[in-house]
């Protein structure tokens, strides 16, 4: 066939196709219900043009026009056609969103082609959660049949709404939410949308507070979502006139004041969300003002406001209410004895309030399945909750409950799946050892309750537990051997801070879903057990585990946090390091010996390395220079030797803490250390370091920042979806949220950190470089027990943050600089055993030190020493000392304690901080420059 013939044939085919499509209305209308709808050629071409303008990294549109797929565009992914005319009527191109969004799937990016206008019958268009450049084109207004339009989260270039969207007279549903750059300053056009029932404009950049009132004209709306928009002023009562409204979401705004009374009774409101606003007023009054919707309301969320008062009987009118969320308010009064009847109520959340007294009698809430009373000040417990026989979730954690929970309380709770009584330090849980619980729990937390001393044998009957937290619950003695076989589904296991003893068997096949195991601070002994390799957090610290740690050679896929410190582990560190995802590794306070293997340098994700208090010898392996993410290295109290490696400064630029204390390091301090602009703690004390203190020390930028004593911990958390996929995320927020199987855990990650230099007990010579006085952020400086000579730098008075200064046992000469008296935070001062002379400067702060700060200096005189000064040694200028400084917290920290211990407290806080929920202890220290933001937040 020649090229021309081919061309002619194609033309013919094309003609036939066009003819067919012209006739298809007739053809198909005579064949009602034909399942083999064929799309129209023009519309198919339009779709292909539309596709060409988009970048589709993950091939979401791969069925569109490609070989091996149907050429009928009606069968392409996301396309739906009218089953009679073959017209494309729906385009569902929704991108990845929400908690189920897999990070692996990319959104479509690019422009929307004008070819879309060809789809004249389009009724349904969803392009949400893609990244559309150029914003929303004006020609959308010509899609006149459109009924559903979802433009939620379509990218940063969607900044204004094309006003002629008002031409879409058939539009029923419009979603413009989550467009963080969209400004809505005009809504007049929306009044033309006479069919509009569902409108969502949540979380846009700016929904003009003066124009949203136009929406009150839309009296036919059934759904209205204006959440996350900083709307202010009082709650407009015009909402009550929108009689068709079924869903009203005004959460995360700034609506304040009281709550207007709604009038009439014909309301259809089912869902009403006003959480996270500034509402105040008293709950009984609010419920009274809501009475016009009492017949219809099913879901009411007033969380995170400033509502006071208490849940009283007047809620009883809300016969349809299924979910009532009042958490994070100021509900403060005692509960009334009995909470009225809400026959349909399934979920009641009163957590994070100030409710005192006893857990009220809720027994009239006969449908209740979830009850959240966490974080209140409840003290007593009535038996009445035991009558809530449909209860599935009961959260009473973080109260002050006293007394005893017995089997009688729990007798009827046969549906219970989640039970959290944690952090009620005076609550006893007393059941007989042969008790058989009526329920099968999925989650059980009795942390910081009085559960022990006996091991809870009733666990023997619990087969479904996925989360168990019995930390600090007073359990003593051996763990029964059946226990380890009893939790085949457990993901979170926390038995820390008890006195539980015994050996642990190989867990790798017994707990195959394990994500977090925290057995810290107990009396477990024997070898470290094999642990399933899918685990994320292992904390076995402060036990009596012995033997080697060859299990490290198992192929852990997600292990981020491994703490084996404070045990009796021994042997050489293994050569194989397969901890591909490790962030925090703590092997400190054990009996490891031999060299630190070179292979440790393969742990490239490592942020914290703790090997302190072992018997390790040899040099620091050169390969550690590859661990570029190291932030903390602590190898103190070993037998390490060699020079302080220059690569620390050259290669690991972001390091924050270096502790090489109490080893046998020698040579001089490499000047490369001065490159560590984030360094906050440098401890080289008690080694054999010689030479001088490098003058470049003033380059340690973090120590030159006076104000910044705050650090933000970059928190690591992981998400596990219901399919069991784990995603590890890093968060820079102060507060990170962990979602795990729909539950959320929140914790704060800000921590103050100390800055210090300790070079004591070495062989340093020469003068103290005056450059050191530029480190005005330093809290501690210890240069004692060296051979330093010369004067104390005159400008030491500018190191205002200093609260620990120890220069004792050197050969310093000259006078004590007057500026020292300006160090108003100074809590510890030791200048003894030098050759200092002259008058001890006057100053209130200096008067708090006794003569031990100065003895061993033959030439010193004046208070507090008994040697009086001769007349020519005149007193200091008093104006220098007359500053109205207030006493800060650091001052108290340093009072009476040596700085070293203050530092240890702080570092212990960082490194051993026990998050309530284990896996969150997945940390990396990250220094943050915007300290003022942190302080003010
Ligand atoms: C065709 O579509 C109409 C309306 O969308 C629907 O009611 C009907 O069931 C469909 N017929 C077939 C065979 O799918
Ligand atoms: C729009 O799409 C998003 C997801 O992409 C969805 O969450 C939202 O509910 C949709 N809006 C409507 C009104 O259906
Ligand atoms: C929208 O409607 C106006 C008249 O109401 C008309 O002038 C304009 O052309 C229409 N726009 C589009 C894109 O259809
Ligand atoms: C809100 O709209 C009004 C009038 O429509 C306008 O004057 C005002 O500038 C707008 N405010 C903002 C913040 O855009
Ligand atoms: C719409 O509402 C605004 C403000 O509430 C009002 O001024 C205007 O008259 C109303 N317009 C129509 C057409 O109802
Ligand atoms: C358990 O239910 C039975 C029958 O409804 C009731 O008599 C009993 O008082 C309930 N027990 C508790 C502790 O509420």
């Amino acid at each position: 066939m020649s090229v021309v013939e081919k061309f002619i044939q194609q033309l013919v085919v094309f003609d036939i196709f066009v003819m067919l499509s012209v006739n298809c209305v007739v053809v198909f209308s005579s064949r009602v219900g034909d399942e083999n709808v064929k799309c129209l050629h023009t519309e198919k071409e339009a779709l292909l043009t539309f596709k060409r303008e988009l970048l589709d990294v993950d091939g979401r549109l791969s069925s569109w026009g490609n070989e091996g797929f149907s050429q009928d565009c009606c069968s392409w992914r996301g396309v739906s056609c009218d089953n009679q005319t073959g017209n494309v009527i729906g385009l569902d191109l929704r991108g990845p969103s929400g908690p189920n969004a897999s990070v692996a799937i990319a959104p479509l990016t690019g422009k929307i082609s004008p070819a879309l206008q060809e789809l004249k019958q389009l009724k349904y268009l969803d392009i949400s959660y893609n990244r559309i450049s150029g914003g929303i084109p004006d020609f959308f207004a010509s899609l006149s049949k459109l009924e559903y339009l979802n433009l939620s989260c379509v990218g940063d270039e969607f900044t204004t709404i094309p006003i002629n969207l008002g031409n879409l007279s058939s539009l029923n549903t419009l979603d413009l939410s989550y467009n963080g750059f969209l400004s809505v300053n005009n809504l007049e056009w929306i009044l033309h949308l006479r069919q509009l029932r569902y409108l969502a404009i949540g979380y846009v950049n700016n929904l003009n507070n003066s124009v949203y009132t136009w929406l009150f004209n839309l009296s036919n709306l059934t759904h209205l979502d204006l959440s996350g928009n900083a709307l202010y002023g009082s709650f407009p009562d015009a909402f009550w006139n929108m009689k068709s409204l079924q869903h009203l979401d005004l959460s995360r705004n700034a609506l304040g004041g009281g709550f207007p009374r709604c009038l009439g009774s014909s309301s259809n409101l089912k869902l009403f969300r006003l959480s996270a606003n500034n509402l105040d007023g008293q709950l009984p009054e609010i419920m009274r003002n809501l009475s016009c919707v009492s017949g219809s309301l099913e879901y009411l969320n007033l969380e995170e406001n400033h509502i006071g008062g208490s849940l009283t009987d007047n809620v009883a009118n809300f016969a349809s209410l299924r979910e009532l969320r009042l958490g994070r308010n100021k509900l403060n009064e005692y509960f009334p004895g009995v909470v009225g009847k809400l026959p349909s109520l399934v979920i009641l959340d009163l957590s994070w309030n100030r409710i005192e007294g006893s857990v009220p009698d809720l027994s009239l809430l006969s449908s209740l399945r979830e009850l959240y009373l966490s974080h209140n000040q409840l003290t007593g417990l009535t038996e009445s909750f035991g009558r809530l026989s449909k209860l599935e979730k009961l959260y009473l954690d973080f109260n002050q409950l006293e007394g005893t929970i017995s089997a009688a309380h729990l007798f009827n709770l046969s549906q219970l799946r989640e039970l959290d009584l944690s952090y009620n330090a005076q609550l006893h849980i007393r059941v007989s050892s042969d008790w058989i619980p009526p329920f099968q729990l999925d989650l059980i937390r009795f942390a910081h309750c009085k559960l022990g001393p006996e091991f809870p044998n009733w666990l023997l009957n619990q087969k479904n537990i996925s989360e168990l937290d019995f930390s600090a619950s007073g359990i003593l003695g051996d763990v029964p051997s059946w226990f380890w076989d009893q939790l085949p589904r457990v993901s979170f296991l926390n038995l820390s801070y008890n006195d539980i003893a015994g050996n642990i068997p190989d867990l790798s096949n017994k707990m195959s879903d394990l994500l977090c195991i925290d057995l810290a601070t107990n009396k477990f002994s024997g070898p470290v057990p094999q642990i399933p390799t899918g685990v994320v957090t292992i904390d076995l610290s402060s036990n009596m585990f012995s033997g080697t740690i060859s299990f490290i050679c198992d192929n852990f896929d997600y292990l981020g946090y491994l703490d084996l410190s404070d045990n009796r582990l021994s042997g050489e560190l293994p050569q194989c390091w397969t901890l591909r995802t490790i962030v925090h590794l703590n092997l400190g306070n054990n009996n490891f010996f031999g060299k630190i293997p070179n292979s440790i340098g393969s742990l490239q994700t490592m942020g914290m390395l703790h090997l302190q208090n072992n018997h390790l010898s040899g040099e620091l392996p050169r390969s550690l220079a590859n661990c570029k993410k190291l932030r903390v290295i602590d190898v103190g109290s070993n037998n390490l030797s060699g020079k302080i490696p220059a690569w620390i400064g050259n290669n690991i630029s972001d390091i924050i803490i270096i502790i090489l204390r109490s080893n046998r390091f020698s040579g001089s301090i490499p000047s490369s250390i001065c490159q560590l602009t984030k360094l906050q703690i440098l401890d080289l004390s008690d080694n054999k370091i010689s030479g001088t203190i490098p003058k470049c020390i003033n380059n340690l930028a973090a120590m030159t920042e006076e104000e910044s004593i705050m650090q933000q911990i970059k928190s690591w958390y992981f998400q596990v979806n219901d399919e069991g996929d784990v995603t590890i995320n890093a968060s820079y927020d102060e507060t990170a949220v962990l979602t795990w199987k729909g539950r959320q855990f929140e914790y704060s990650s800000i921590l103050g950190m100390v800055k210090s230099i300790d070079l004591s007990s070495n062989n340093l010579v020469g003068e103290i470089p005056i450059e050191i006085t530029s480190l005005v952020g330093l809290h501690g400086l210890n240069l004692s027990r060296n051979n330093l000579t010369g004067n104390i730098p005159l400008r030491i008075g500018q190191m205002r943050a200093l609260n620990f200064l120890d220069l004792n046992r050197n050969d310093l000469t000259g006078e004590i600089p007057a500026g020292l008296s300006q160090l108003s935070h100074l809590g510890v001062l030791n200048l003894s055993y030098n050759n200092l002379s002259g008058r001890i400067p006057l100053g209130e702060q200096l008067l708090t030190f006794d003569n031990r700060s100065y003895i061993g200096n033959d030439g010193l005189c004046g208070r507090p020493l008994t040697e009086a000064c001769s007349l020519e040694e005149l007193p200091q200028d008093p104006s220098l000392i007359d500053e109205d400084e207030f006493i800060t917290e650091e001052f108290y920290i340093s009072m009476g304690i040596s700085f070293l211990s203050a530092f240890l407290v702080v570092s212990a806080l960082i490194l051993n901080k026990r998050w309530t929920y284990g896996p969150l202890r997945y940390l990396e220290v990250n220094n943050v420059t915007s300290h003022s933001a942190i302080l003010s937040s």
Side-chain angles (χ1 to χ4, degrees), residues 742-792:
R743 289 196 284 275
Q744 295 208 319
F745 307 113
E746 217 179 57
Y747 64 105
S748 167
S749 55
I750 285 184
L751 233 38
M753 252 176 65
V754 167
K755 300 175 180 179
S756 81
I757 291 180
D758 189 346
L759 305 176
S760 63
S761 300
N762 279 294
N763 303 321
L764 295 169
V765 295
E767 299 197 1
I768 300 174
I770 52 168
E771 288 79 3
I772 211 166
T773 60
S774 304
L775 305 182
V776 296
L778 218 53
H779 301 107
L781 177 61
N782 190 347
L783 303 176
S784 66
R785 293 169 200 264
N786 280 291
N787 303 317
L788 298 170
T789 51
N791 296 341
I792 298 176

Side-chain angles (χ1 to χ4, degrees), residues 32-35 82-84 89 123:
V32 174
D34 188 340
E35 280 159 350
D82 185 303
N83 58 15
Q84 298 188 343
I89 54 169
K123 291 182 180 165

Side-chain angles (χ1 to χ4, degrees), residues 673-915:
I673 245 172
C674 300
Q675 297 170 31
L676 298 173
T677 53
K678 298 182 176 168
L679 194 66
Q680 299 208 3
I681 291 177
L682 177 63
D683 185 351
L684 306 178
S685 64
D686 193 15
N687 277 290
K688 298 183 169 156
I689 298 167
S690 53
T692 56
I693 301 173
K695 285 187 183 305
C696 61
I697 199 157
N698 55 346
N699 293 338
L700 297 174
M703 297 186 183
T704 64
E705 284 160 22
E706 188 174 3
E707 322 83 7
S708 167
I709 58 154
M710 297 300 265
Q711 275 285 327
Q712 194 174 27
I713 298 282
K714 182 165 118 183
S715 40
W716 288 68
Y717 62 105
F718 65 96
Q719 285 183 308
V720 188
N721 66 17
D722 284 337
E723 279 83 56
D725 304 329
V726 179
T727 334
I728 298 177
N729 290 312
S731 165
Y732 293 87
D733 296 336
E734 283 166 52
T735 306
V737 174
L738 166 80
T739 310
W740 183 72
K741 291 199 174 167
R743 289 196 284 275
Q744 295 208 319
F745 307 113
E746 217 179 57
Y747 64 105
S748 167
S749 55
I750 285 184
L751 233 38
M753 252 176 65
V754 167
K755 300 175 180 179
S756 81
I757 291 180
D758 189 346
L759 305 176
S760 63
S761 300
N762 279 294
N763 303 321
L764 295 169
V765 295
E767 299 197 1
I768 300 174
I770 52 168
E771 288 79 3
I772 211 166
T773 60
S774 304
L775 305 182
V776 296
L778 218 53
H779 301 107
L781 177 61
N782 190 347
L783 303 176
S784 66
R785 293 169 200 264
N786 280 291
N787 303 317
L788 298 170
T789 51
N791 296 341
I792 298 176
L794 212 54
R795 281 187 288 168
I796 199 152
Q798 72 188 33
M799 299 177 75
R800 294 292 189 98
L802 219 50
N803 59 29
F804 178 95
L805 177 62
D806 191 349
L807 302 175
N808 99 80
R809 284 178 212 269
N810 279 291
D811 294 316
L812 300 172
T813 51
E815 296 192 10
I816 299 175
L820 208 59
S821 64
Q822 289 170 283
L823 300 180
S824 55
H825 295 181
L826 208 56
V828 176
L829 174 69
N830 193 345
L831 304 177
S832 63
Y833 300 103
N834 279 289
N835 288 318
L836 299 168
S837 55
R839 178 187 283 276
I840 295 172
L842 294 175
E844 267 177 61
Q845 193 61 36
L846 295 189
L847 285 178
T848 61
F849 305 113
D850 63 22
N851 59 355
R852 282 173 299 176
S853 296
Y854 306 103
I855 53 170
N857 288 286
D858 288 344
L860 284 181
C861 63
R863 285 209 292 166
L865 297 176
T866 45
E867 290 84 358
C869 295
S870 63
L871 275 175
E872 54 276 22
E873 282 153 342
L874 289 170
Q876 306 282 327
D877 176 356
S879 68
L880 280 177
I881 53 169
D882 191 23
E883 286 195 17
D884 187 17
E885 298 273 2
F886 58 89
I887 294 174
T888 65
E889 201 174 307
E890 299 109 75
F891 174 77
Y892 285 111
I893 290 177
S894 63
M895 277 298 282
I897 337 165
S898 87
F899 182 75
L900 188 65
S901 62
F903 156 62
L904 283 177
V905 169
V906 175
S907 76
L909 254 175
I910 301 166
L911 306 173
N912 294 324
K913 169 114 187 155
R914 296 195 186 271
W915 306 108

Side-chain angles (χ1 to χ4, degrees), residues 91-95 124-130 148-152:
L91 215 44
D92 179 359
L93 302 174
R94 185 177 286 194
Y124 181 102
L125 179 58
D126 186 347
I127 54 174
S128 62
Y129 286 85
N130 290 298
Y148 176 101
L149 180 57
N150 196 335
L151 299 176
S152 167

